[in-house]
mmCIF file of all heavy atoms in Angstrom:
data_model
loop_
_atom_site.group_PDB
_atom_site.id
_atom_site.type_symbol
_atom_site.label_atom_id
_atom_site.label_comp_id
_atom_site.label_asym_id
_atom_site.label_seq_id
_atom_site.Cartn_x
_atom_site.Cartn_y
_atom_site.Cartn_z
ATOM 1 N N GLU H 31 124.602 105.755 104.896
ATOM 2 C CA GLU H 31 125.571 106.842 104.815
ATOM 3 C C GLU H 31 126.430 106.772 103.548
ATOM 4 O O GLU H 31 126.706 107.788 102.914
ATOM 5 C CB GLU H 31 126.503 106.807 106.031
ATOM 6 C CG GLU H 31 125.827 107.158 107.347
ATOM 7 C CD GLU H 31 126.748 106.940 108.538
ATOM 8 O OE1 GLU H 31 127.896 106.443 108.328
ATOM 9 O OE2 GLU H 31 126.349 107.237 109.669
ATOM 10 N N VAL H 53 131.596 88.829 111.030
ATOM 11 C CA VAL H 53 130.584 89.310 110.077
ATOM 12 C C VAL H 53 130.298 88.235 109.038
ATOM 13 O O VAL H 53 129.139 87.958 108.712
ATOM 14 C CB VAL H 53 131.066 90.605 109.386
ATOM 15 C CG1 VAL H 53 129.985 91.114 108.415
ATOM 16 C CG2 VAL H 53 131.394 91.684 110.413
ATOM 17 N N GLN H 111 116.752 105.742 103.265
ATOM 18 C CA GLN H 111 117.913 105.943 102.404
ATOM 19 C C GLN H 111 118.381 104.623 101.806
ATOM 20 O O GLN H 111 118.739 104.546 100.628
ATOM 21 C CB GLN H 111 119.051 106.583 103.204
ATOM 22 C CG GLN H 111 120.321 106.837 102.401
ATOM 23 C CD GLN H 111 120.121 107.817 101.265
ATOM 24 O OE1 GLN H 111 119.270 108.701 101.346
ATOM 25 N NE2 GLN H 111 120.886 107.655 100.202
ATOM 26 N N HIS H 140 92.800 97.505 95.206
ATOM 27 C CA HIS H 140 91.537 96.927 95.697
ATOM 28 C C HIS H 140 90.578 98.024 96.158
ATOM 29 O O HIS H 140 89.368 97.955 95.931
ATOM 30 C CB HIS H 140 91.811 95.946 96.839
ATOM 31 C CG HIS H 140 92.609 94.752 96.414
ATOM 32 N ND1 HIS H 140 92.173 93.880 95.436
ATOM 33 C CD2 HIS H 140 93.815 94.296 96.811
ATOM 34 C CE1 HIS H 140 93.078 92.923 95.262
ATOM 35 N NE2 HIS H 140 94.087 93.158 96.090
ATOM 36 N N LEU H 158 96.129 100.810 87.024
ATOM 37 C CA LEU H 158 96.835 101.960 86.443
ATOM 38 C C LEU H 158 96.780 103.153 87.396
ATOM 39 O O LEU H 158 97.805 103.798 87.669
ATOM 40 C CB LEU H 158 96.202 102.317 85.099
ATOM 41 C CG LEU H 158 96.838 103.420 84.236
ATOM 42 C CD1 LEU H 158 96.437 103.234 82.781
ATOM 43 C CD2 LEU H 158 96.454 104.827 84.699
#
Side-chain angles (χ1 to χ4, degrees):
E31 291 173 356
V53 181
Q111 180 63 29
H140 296 300
L158 185 157

